[in-house]
């Protein structure tokens, strides 16, 4: 995209955090940034207007979508996941442009994978670029807390050169753009989504455990919304509505040395799967991967979950909006 370097420079000076924190950024109400995507009354906006409940029952899941397209930025929400038996349930917080680029879409994903009683939720991160859904760059982690006990902040930093996933103030994964990666790196404007849905076919032990609606409704709670990026005209995708006023207090991009140390510690303790070590998927690891012998040995004890096809798992065509619509 012609203006990608220009936009990256703008973002570097006005909006992107280095520590994964949203504390210096404005918190939006739901109505300021989002619209309902699907689910009818399974989406409930609380009276304060700043919190939303998404629920899954036998009738339907539910979801919402940002009112704007964005090209790079920092995107965040505080999320509390359903408790008890959650096998087959997936809560997703992700960016996509599948409604505009159906055959060559990009995605940046947080997926929260439910589990049977007594087993922990897991987080799965992933990126696709230019429709590269067969490959994917999935990583999967446990957490150092129970995400159903309280709210925690989950954030995506997306720039021209790298993507970083954060849990609270801890970077948990980073994907750097390389020259040989080409179009596999997300490089087109995207919309932000949040959904809860039935993924019984693949989510828990490759589909061994299904959603049990005896425990429904499954409720995911969202608040503390941050949409801090370069908005894009949905009709003219080359027309950017970025903030151009210089910021007297620029926020640097990237990960600080202390944050990198925390990320490495987290990954050593909690990572359960990384595409970089998946010899079935990649005979030769992708160019951004750095092979770590100790990490490879440790990950052998975790059996990779079959992802069940994985193409556009979050959103079928019935959930999409047209390029000209502001909401569903």
């Amino acid at each position: 995209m012609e203006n990608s370097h220009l936009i990256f420079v703008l973002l570097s000076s006005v909006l992107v955090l280095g520590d994964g924190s949203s504390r210096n950024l404005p918190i939006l109400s739901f109505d300021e940034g989002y619209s309902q995507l699907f689910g009818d009354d399974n989406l409930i906006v609380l009276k304060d207007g700043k919190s939303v409940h998404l629920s899954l029952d036998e009738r339907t899941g539910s979801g919402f979508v940002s009112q704007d397209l964005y090209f790079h930025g920092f995107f965040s929400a505080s999320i509390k996941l359903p408790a008890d038996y959650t096998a087959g349930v997936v809560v997703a917080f992700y960016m996509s442009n599948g409604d505009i680029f159906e055959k060559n879409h990009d995605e940046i994903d947080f997926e929260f994978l439910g589990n049977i009683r007594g087993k922990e939720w897991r987080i799965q991160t992933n990126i696709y670029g230019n429709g590269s859904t067969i490959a994917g760059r999935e990583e999967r982690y446990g957490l150092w807390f129970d995400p159903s006990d309280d709210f925690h902040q989950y954030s995506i930093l997306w720039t021209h050169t790298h993507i970083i996933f954060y849990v609270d103030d801890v970077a948990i994964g980073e994907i750097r753009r390389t020259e040989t990666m080409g179009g596999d790196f997300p490089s087109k404007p995207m919309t932000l989504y949040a959904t809860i849905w039935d993924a019984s076919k693949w989510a828990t032990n490759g589909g061994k455990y299904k959603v049990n609606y005896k425990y429904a409704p499954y409720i995911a709670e969202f608040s503390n919304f941050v949409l801090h990026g370069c908005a894009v005209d949905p009709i003219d995708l080359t027309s950017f509505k970025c903030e151009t006023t210089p910021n007297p207090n620029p926020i640097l991009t990237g990960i600080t040395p202390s944050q990198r140390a925390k990320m490495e510690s987290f990954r050593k303790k909690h990572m359960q799967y990384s595409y970089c070590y998946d010899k079935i998927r990649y005979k030769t690891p992708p160019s951004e991967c750095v092979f770590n012998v100790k990490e490879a040995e440790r990950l052998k004890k975790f059996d990779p979950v079959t992802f069940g096809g994985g193409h556009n798992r979050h959103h079928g065509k019935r959930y999409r909006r047209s390029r000209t619509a502001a909401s569903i």
Side-chain angles (χ1 to χ4, degrees):
M1 187 168 293
E2 293 181 2
N3 295 325
S4 61
H5 178 70
L6 169 63
I7 301 308
F8 174 62
V9 171
L10 287 171
L11 290 170
S12 297
S13 64
V14 302
L15 61 86
V16 178
L17 297 111
D19 65 353
S21 168
S22 60
R23 59 182 174 268
N24 297 322
L25 298 176
I27 303 297
L28 298 177
S29 69
F30 179 80
D31 289 341
E32 286 179 295
Y34 294 95
S35 300
Q36 183 165 0
L37 182 62
F38 69 100
D40 301 321
D41 56 358
N42 277 20
L43 184 151
I44 298 175
V45 181
L46 302 191
K47 290 182 179 179
D48 64 2
K50 297 180 180 179
S51 301
V52 176
H53 286 184
L54 295 183
S55 65
L56 167 68
D57 57 29
E58 290 182 270
R59 296 179 302 113
T60 183
S62 52
F64 58 82
V65 59
S66 65
Q67 296 172 6
D68 287 318
L69 279 162
Y70 293 94
F71 186 60
H72 299 156
F74 185 85
F75 310 94
S76 185
S78 187
I79 305 171
K80 182 180 178 183
L81 299 174
D84 201 8
Y85 183 98
T86 54
V89 177
V90 170
V91 176
F93 180 68
Y94 66 103
M95 306 192 74
S96 177
N97 49 32
D99 57 342
I100 299 174
F101 304 99
E102 293 194 16
K103 295 183 179 179
N104 62 335
H105 82 286
D106 306 308
E107 282 192 26
I108 304 174
D109 302 337
F110 260 120
E111 291 178 312
F112 305 91
L113 311 182
N115 220 324
I116 59 176
R117 184 182 286 113
K119 298 291 186 178
E120 300 174 346
W121 280 87
R122 292 162 299 161
I123 285 185
Q124 185 164 283
T125 61
N126 199 4
I127 74 163
Y128 300 127
N130 205 32
S132 58
T133 54
I134 294 176
R137 284 170 162 81
E138 286 133 328
E139 291 194 327
R140 190 164 54 253
Y141 320 90
L143 290 167
W144 66 95
F145 56 83
D146 184 345
S148 67
D149 277 348
D150 205 350
F151 286 91
H152 291 269
Q153 201 78 19
Y154 303 91
S155 309
I156 295 167
L157 169 61
W158 172 38
T159 78
H160 181 65
T161 58
H162 57 263
I163 293 165
I164 304 173
F165 297 94
Y166 295 92
V167 177
D168 292 329
D169 291 348
V170 179
I172 65 169
E174 176 186 30
I175 297 178
R176 291 179 173 272
R177 184 175 195 164
T178 64
E179 184 175 348
T180 56
M181 189 183 294
D184 286 356
F185 191 90
S187 58
K188 299 185 291 294
M190 289 189 279
T191 309
L192 191 68
Y193 295 82
T195 58
I196 184 171
W197 57 290
D198 184 331
S200 291
K201 292 182 179 179
W202 66 270
T204 308
N205 287 38
K208 180 179 179 181
Y209 300 104
K210 316 294 184 183
V211 173
N212 187 337
Y213 286 103
K214 178 177 72 174
Y215 301 99
Y218 297 97
I219 299 174
E221 304 174 54
F222 289 77
S223 64
N224 290 347
F225 301 109
V226 175
L227 288 170
H228 208 55
C230 178
V232 178
D233 188 297
I235 305 299
D236 180 1
L237 298 178
T238 63
S239 177
F240 301 98
K241 300 181 282 186
C242 297
E243 182 180 358
T244 56
T245 304
N247 191 321
N249 299 303
I251 304 169
L252 300 178
T253 61
I255 302 177
T256 65
S258 62
Q259 280 290 308
R260 189 165 294 282
K262 287 183 180 180
M263 180 174 73
E264 290 173 359
S265 176
F266 168 85
R267 292 171 70 83
K268 184 182 294 185
K269 294 176 182 177
H270 300 289
M271 188 165 70
Q272 300 176 3
Y273 168 83
S274 172
Y275 69 98
C276 287
Y277 301 98
D278 191 331
K279 294 181 180 180
I280 296 175
R281 176 172 287 179
Y282 292 110
K283 292 182 179 179
T284 301
S287 57
E288 72 274 11
C289 292
V290 177
F291 190 84
N292 181 308
V293 175
K294 290 183 178 179
E295 193 168 68
E297 285 298 315
R298 187 182 63 79
L299 291 177
K300 281 185 180 179
K301 67 179 181 179
F302 296 104
D303 293 328
V305 169
T306 301
F307 298 128
H311 304 340
N312 295 331
R313 289 195 301 261
H314 321 303
H315 42 84
K317 290 184 178 179
R318 64 196 178 99
Y319 299 153
R320 292 177 179 168
R321 61 180 184 173
S322 69
R323 188 181 305 185
T324 58
S327 62
I328 289 287

